[in-house]
Amino acid sequence: MTTAPAAPSTRAQDTVEKDSLELIRWPDPRADALTGPGLGSLSVASLLASSAGRHADRIAVVCGEERVTYAELWDQARAYAGAFRARGIGPGDRVAVLVPNVPDFPRVYFGLLALGAVVVPVHLLFTADEVEHVIRDSGATLVVAAAPVLAAALPAAAAAGVPVVTVLVPDALRDKVPAPRLEDEAAATEPLERLVPVPPLAPATVLYTSGTTGKPKGAVGSHLAIVENVNVVLIDCFDMRTGDVVFGGLPLFHTFGQVCVMNTAFRVGATVLLLPKFDPATALKIMDAERATVFIGVPTMYGALLQAAGPHRDGGAELPPLRYAISGGAALPEAVLDRFQQVFGAPVHEGYGLTETSPVASFNRVGEPAVAGSVGFPVWGVEAEVTDPAHPERIVVLPRGERGELVIRGHNLFKGYLGNPDATEAAVVDGWLRTGDIATKDDEGRIRIVDRAKDMIIRNGYNVYCREVEEVLVRYPGVASVAVFGVADDEHGQEVHAAVVLEDSEAGRAFDADAMVTEARQHLAAYKYPRVVHVREAMPQGPSGKILKRELVAEYES
């Protein structure tokens, strides 16, 4: 159903405060300079706008046969912004976006941000009910949906009473889709001339967490937190340069791919290789053809690439000339890290972050020796401490070397959970974000993530840290990936289970689960090794590729 364009928004100078989003209005010039919010402005959209001037003719994105320069991409984003403006979208308006890793994602993303609007990326595998929850919870006034996800987006938007515009709908199907095409509306309107200025702490995104407890919550990220995260990792952490070719297979609706790949690459004028759906063989082929220099991924991607490398495990012309690689999203097993560095000849640097930290909080800085099993040091301007989880109402810092809950504070923290002050208050105590991760910090300040607090297994009263067990099991021959988790048990409280994915069918024929357990017993205490091993074709994964252990627990407890 086509909706008539509304009058352009004139709220840029007005107080904008809707549904606890806590948008910050432009300050009154008469305000006290010491106490007022300031007169500065900052926009995430400047990451693309600036490079469009500095690197106009460089290729910004490659997707299949499509190659788009920085100047072209910014012009296209401004054209989309003109179409959004004609629909009445302006500062503070939230727009739900369901677009895969194709050039239309940055066009829509930066077009909205250029208007001062708030981008609400939606997981592409969500059902219609889940999409509807995000639309309603975020207060979105418009949905932008790509052709491949219209089956979920259209009924969800209709149920929420929100209009839809599409992208990627071919001409032959235009009359069969009950929603207008954004491309057509952009062609019929004047493009946005320049960025709409917004205060630095104004919201830029609402990213929905994976929802380990209950429905997903919307984490509100500010322009300042996102831009500062990009600048800090470029100065102190990543060695990303103008002209680099960066693998872009991480989903752009997730903070890792959105900030660490797209936004960071655009800041320096690098090229992003977009892959709508991660497939290891396709990824290797594209990275080799485009001579990729930087790989950024989650541990499951590293394992999959090693499997796909197959006959080229000793290196060769068919493998991309990577200068280095970055891993995040979950702990990368040391055995996988070692194999990847050997096969691809590229050092791997691990980091740590969350949606709520925009996302990078700590990192093994490129240019310095990385310590396997460590997520490095807190990034510039960010503090991290290990605290006693027995005191959730206050921060009790533990001595160096002790295990406890990791807490973080700094410029990278989110604004809070949209419309959920109770969840925000529980997550942030005295200005520190409780991460829910169990960690240690050595005398030098280096951080190691031991486990998720919710993933820790308690067997016969003893704490079993899943990552410690996984590091042992993944070294067994033929194992591509492993996930250790606890299943309720009447006798022991919880029993240690392991889910295993094998490298290939040949490994499957030779794999002996009992032998793997016997080998593990030589390296693990009696209460730690797995009593049950499940061989699987694949692991359940979240939006960033992280293994969803809660689904494994639910499956095997039932």
Side-chain angles (χ1 to χ4, degrees):
M1 182 175 65
T2 302
T3 303
S9 174
T10 59
R11 291 172 292 172
Q13 304 296 325
D14 298 339
T15 301
V16 184
E17 200 161 313
K18 304 183 297 184
D19 305 333
S20 302
L21 191 60
E22 297 179 2
L23 300 187
I24 298 178
R25 74 171 200 169
W26 278 106
D28 186 331
R30 299 166 295 180
D32 189 326
L34 289 177
T35 59
L39 300 172
S41 64
L42 181 67
S43 175
V44 173
S46 63
L47 298 173
L48 176 59
S50 176
S51 286
R54 299 175 60 198
H55 310 291
D57 296 328
R58 287 191 177 277
I59 300 297
V61 293
V62 174
C63 185
E65 298 299 317
E66 190 173 5
R67 310 175 79 85
V68 186
T69 68
Y70 273 96
E72 290 169 340
L73 189 61
W74 178 234
D75 285 346
Q76 293 158 359
R78 291 191 303 110
Y80 278 8
F84 291 133
R85 180 179 55 187
R87 281 183 160 267
I89 299 298
D93 289 317
R94 278 149 272 170
V95 177
V97 176
L98 294 90
V99 179
N101 283 30
V102 295
D104 267 318
F105 187 95
R107 289 170 187 143
V108 171
Y109 179 87
F110 288 103
L112 289 168
L113 291 171
L115 285 171
V118 181
V119 182
V120 185
V122 184
H123 194 315
L124 296 180
L125 295 182
F126 272 5
T127 64
D129 288 345
E130 292 168 317
V131 175
E132 182 186 348
H133 166 72
V134 172
I135 295 171
R136 290 184 181 276
D137 188 75
S138 67
T141 57
L142 180 68
V143 174
V144 182
V149 292
L150 287 176
L154 288 174
V162 175
V164 177
V165 292
T166 68
V167 293
L168 302 179
V169 173
D171 291 341
L173 299 177
R174 176 166 45 182
D175 296 334
K176 298 180 180 180
V177 175
R181 298 195 304 185
L182 182 60
E183 298 95 334
D184 296 337
E185 295 192 354
T189 56
E190 288 295 320
L192 185 72
E193 185 176 350
R194 62 175 60 87
L195 299 177
V196 173
V198 291
L201 290 177
T205 60
V206 180
L207 302 179
Y208 278 77
T209 61
S210 55
T212 55
T213 56
K215 288 186 177 294
K217 301 185 293 291
V220 181
S222 70
H223 288 269
L224 174 65
I226 295 170
V227 172
E228 187 68 355
N229 209 258
V230 168
N231 288 335
V232 166
V233 298
L234 282 174
I235 293 171
D236 290 336
C237 303
F238 300 0
D239 179 27
M240 198 178 292
R241 312 165 187 169
T242 300
D244 264 332
V245 179
V246 184
F247 176 70
L250 285 168
L252 294 177
F253 59 75
H254 188 269
T255 183
F256 193 9
Q258 194 178 117
V259 178
C260 295
V261 179
M262 181 178 71
N263 287 347
T264 303
F266 285 0
R267 175 69 175 83
V268 295
T271 297
V272 178
L273 306 178
L274 292 177
L275 188 62
K277 182 179 180 181
F278 178 75
D279 171 77
T282 304
L284 276 181
K285 181 179 179 181
I286 292 172
M287 286 196 290
D288 174 55
E290 300 292 339
R291 311 311 289 161
T293 55
V294 181
F295 175 76
I296 304 179
V298 294
T300 50
M301 289 181 171
Y302 279 82
L305 283 181
L306 283 171
Q307 286 182 264
H312 312 299
R313 283 181 177 268
D314 295 326
E318 295 84 356
L319 298 180
L322 298 178
R323 195 171 74 253
Y324 70 95
I326 294 170
S327 178
L332 180 65
E334 291 185 34
V336 176
L337 183 151
D338 291 341
R339 290 207 301 269
F340 190 92
Q341 291 185 152
Q342 178 184 359
V343 171
F344 288 88
V348 179
H349 293 257
E350 285 191 85
Y352 170 83
L354 303 164
T355 299
E356 293 85 346
T357 60
S358 305
V360 184
S362 70
F363 198 75
N364 276 285
R365 296 181 284 258
V366 172
E368 299 179 11
V371 176
S374 164
V375 293
F377 301 93
V379 300
W380 182 91
V382 171
E383 297 176 81
E385 295 290 352
V386 175
T387 63
D388 188 346
H391 300 283
E393 78 290 349
R394 57 194 174 96
I395 300 299
V396 180
V397 178
L398 295 174
R400 295 289 175 93
E402 291 195 21
R403 288 176 172 175
E405 183 180 10
L406 186 67
V407 297
I408 295 168
R409 70 180 179 188
H411 53 72
N412 60 340
L413 288 199
F414 70 146
K415 292 174 66 67
Y417 295 113
L418 177 60
N420 198 336
D422 290 341
T424 303
E425 184 177 354
V428 183
V429 178
D430 295 334
W432 294 89
L433 173 71
R434 290 192 171 281
T435 67
D437 286 317
I438 303 300
T440 63
K441 195 175 180 182
D442 63 23
D443 290 338
E444 295 179 342
R446 187 178 286 108
I447 300 167
R448 292 177 182 269
I449 303 299
V450 178
D451 214 343
R452 284 290 297 171
K454 293 182 177 66
D455 289 344
M456 187 179 70
I457 302 167
I458 302 178
R459 186 181 192 276
N460 290 343
Y462 293 102
N463 292 347
V464 179
Y465 295 97
C466 296
R467 183 181 180 185
E468 180 183 5
V469 182
E470 290 164 354
E471 289 284 0
V472 172
L473 299 182
V474 78
R475 293 183 179 276
Y476 192 77
V479 172
S481 65
V482 61
V484 171
F485 55 97
V487 172
D489 184 87
D490 292 338
E491 182 179 354
H492 304 290
Q494 283 183 296
E495 190 56 272
V496 183
H497 285 229
V500 173
V501 174
L502 303 175
E503 290 183 342
D504 48 41
S505 57
E506 183 177 341
R509 287 191 293 271
F511 180 73
D512 186 334
D514 292 335
M516 185 178 75
V517 171
T518 300
E519 174 71 18
R521 293 179 63 179
Q522 299 180 31
H523 305 281
L524 297 167
Y527 65 90
K528 295 181 182 178
Y529 70 84
R531 267 56 176 189
V532 183
V533 176
H534 310 274
V535 178
R536 301 174 57 92
E537 291 293 324
M539 299 286 192
Q541 296 181 13
S544 67
K546 183 185 299 184
I547 295 174
L548 299 178
K549 293 187 180 181
R550 65 181 182 274
E551 293 193 9
L552 293 172
V553 172
E555 178 180 344
Y556 294 113
E557 279 192 344
S558 64

